[in-house]
Amino acid sequence: KDKSLNELTELARNIVESLENEKDLETSVNEYQKLIKLNNLIEKKFKNTSKKISENTKEQILKILKKNEKKIK
């Protein structure tokens, strides 16, 4: 269940392709539900990854600022 964003996106792409070819609406409903769940998972992972990147970037900027501050003094 702990898949990467790329893996989740690929799963979503596969579901969309199968839905485009599906004739049976009963099967389609289940696939759409899977797609919605997958979309929510992708969104959460993206937000978490984005948050981590922001935090890391902020830490790096603070380190650089501290180094520069020491050099100035």
Side-chain angles (χ1 to χ4, degrees):
K1 194 171 183 172
D2 193 28
K3 297 186 184 286
S4 72
L5 274 173
N6 287 340
E7 290 171 317
L8 292 172
T9 303
E10 186 61 32
L11 281 172
R13 189 174 296 122
N14 290 339
I15 291 174
V16 169
E17 283 179 16
S18 77
L19 283 170
E20 289 173 342
N21 297 321
E22 186 60 55
K23 304 287 186 250
D24 180 18
L25 287 178
E26 284 298 315
T27 306
S28 294
V29 170
N30 292 334
E31 291 299 303
Y32 277 113
Q33 288 173 343
K34 283 184 196 174
L35 191 57
I36 290 168
K37 288 179 184 177
L38 201 50
N39 187 54
N40 290 337
L41 258 177
I42 290 170
E43 189 176 336
K44 284 178 187 174
K45 265 204 181 282
F46 182 81
K47 284 181 181 178
N48 288 338
T49 302
S50 179
K51 184 178 178 182
K52 286 178 187 175
I53 290 170
S54 288
E55 288 170 354
N56 288 340
T57 302
K58 186 177 178 181
E59 286 175 22
Q60 293 299 318
I61 289 171
L62 289 174
K63 284 179 186 177
I64 292 169
L65 288 174
K66 284 181 183 178
K67 272 187 183 179
N68 286 341
E69 191 177 284
K70 286 179 184 178
K71 286 181 184 178
I72 294 173
K73 289 182 180 180

